Amino acid sequence: MISPHTLHSMRPHLFLLLVVAIFSGNILVGKALAELPPFTVSLGRVAIALAIMLPLGWYQARQGWPLFRRHWRPLLGLALTGVAFFNALIYASLSYTSATNVAILESLIPVVTLLLSVLFLGERFRPLQWAGVALSLAGAVAVILAGQGAEALAVGINPGDLIMLLAVLVWVGYSFLVREHMARFPRYGSMLVMLAMANLALAPIALLEGAWQVVPGLTARQWTGLAYLGVFPSVVALLLYNSALAEVGPTRAAVYLNLLPVFTMLGAWGPGGLGAWWLLGDQILTVQVVASLVVIVGVWFTIAPAGRRR
């Protein structure tokens, strides 16, 4: 029988697995909505998320208002990076590049986080953990190249790839801000305030895209996609990620994103777990299964608690 202490120590890692599953759905649904203007999609998802969080976070937001006013700069940074522009940049990149390319570029987040942690935060890591990052990244690349990614990557760098690289840097910045500042804010109240800020930031850009013309013509499929984006990546994933990151730190949390190509391949997104081999017509090859195991081993090496810092 699993002890309460073990369950508690496993909790952030289970949260991060759920975050990766939701983020894989974010890519797939974002690609399915690629015919819509990207900032309009992003505004739609944060508007839905704001409506969801309003009854949940209103009391904390009112009680914490003096705190929010005093620390508005880090709160604004959190809102602009993780809530507003990270996903907006993903949707913009999906207008030019494939979901496969987005998955592999998003799996660079752990490597970038590790390097910036060493450069700016003075963290030091064991050789085994460096090897774990390299293994998990290599496995993520192999998962993609084993399937349709070989054709997708053959065309080389395009504007979508460059936009996604910018999104990677934005998310790393968000992770560092969460680690430094998030603990001082009430969870639901701060999420409500950040969503309000994100709506204000995205609304002018979406209007320039013609959102006022696009929204009335949305189909039922498009509304369903926006509902998924508004509930899961915008609320559930962020709350789970913020909670887990506070316990394991940005570097060990970020390495879970190397599992993103694996989850995307299996279509393990949201409730129901639809298989990508059915949804996208992908064939699962032996090399993909092996590469997936390499990713998992690499993640385990990297999150091993002993000697993370010296």
Side-chain angles (χ1 to χ4, degrees), residues 28 31 99-100 148 264-265 267 275-283:
L28 294 172
K31 187 62 178 178
T100 296
Q148 61 184 8
T264 303
M265 178 185 71
W277 60 88
W278 174 77
L279 183 66
L280 303 176
D282 291 349
Q283 179 185 3

Side-chain angles (χ1 to χ4, degrees), residues 42 70 93 225 229 231:
S42 198
R70 193 160 58 248
S93 71
L229 298 178
V231 174

Side-chain angles (χ1 to χ4, degrees), residues 97-309:
T97 193
S98 67
T100 296
N101 277 30
V102 168
I104 192 171
L105 291 171
E106 193 166 343
S107 71
L108 291 174
I109 287 176
V111 177
V112 176
T113 304
L114 179 63
L115 294 175
L116 293 183
S117 295
V118 171
L119 288 174
F120 297 112
L121 301 182
E123 293 198 30
R124 301 177 66 186
F125 296 86
R126 293 174 293 135
L128 181 63
Q129 291 177 297
W130 284 102
V133 170
L135 265 180
S136 54
L137 179 62
V141 173
V143 166
I144 292 169
L145 293 182
Q148 61 184 8
E151 291 80 9
L153 294 174
V155 296
I157 297 293
N158 62 45
D161 297 330
L162 297 177
I163 294 171
M164 191 57 211
L165 287 173
L166 178 59
V168 167
L169 293 175
V170 167
W171 184 260
V172 174
Y174 172 74
S175 297
F176 288 151
L177 286 171
V178 168
R179 178 184 180 177
E180 185 70 22
H181 300 287
M182 199 67 193
R184 65 164 60 103
F185 300 123
R187 180 175 301 180
Y188 298 112
S190 62
M191 180 63 70
L192 178 61
V193 173
M194 288 189 291
L195 282 166
M197 289 177 169
N199 274 272
L200 292 174
L202 291 169
I205 306 174
L207 288 174
L208 289 175
E209 286 183 327
W212 56 280
Q213 293 177 315
V214 172
V215 172
L218 292 177
T219 65
R221 177 187 67 84
Q222 291 167 336
W223 276 115
T224 301
L226 284 175
Y228 173 87
L229 298 178
V231 174
F232 291 99
S234 307
V235 175
V236 177
L238 283 182
L239 290 175
L240 292 175
Y241 185 81
N242 293 349
S243 175
L245 189 143
E247 295 189 50
V248 303
T251 303
R252 294 171 72 200
V255 79
Y256 272 89
L257 294 178
N258 272 356
L259 293 168
L260 189 60
V262 180
F263 276 70
T264 303
M265 178 185 71
L266 298 176
W269 52 289
L274 296 175
W277 60 88
W278 174 77
L279 183 66
L280 303 176
D282 291 349
Q283 179 185 3
I284 295 183
L285 307 174
T286 302
V287 66
Q288 289 176 304
V289 176
V290 173
S292 301
L293 294 174
V294 171
V295 173
I296 294 168
V297 171
V299 169
W300 174 253
F301 285 168
T302 308
I303 66 174
R308 183 168 66 91
R309 290 190 184 139

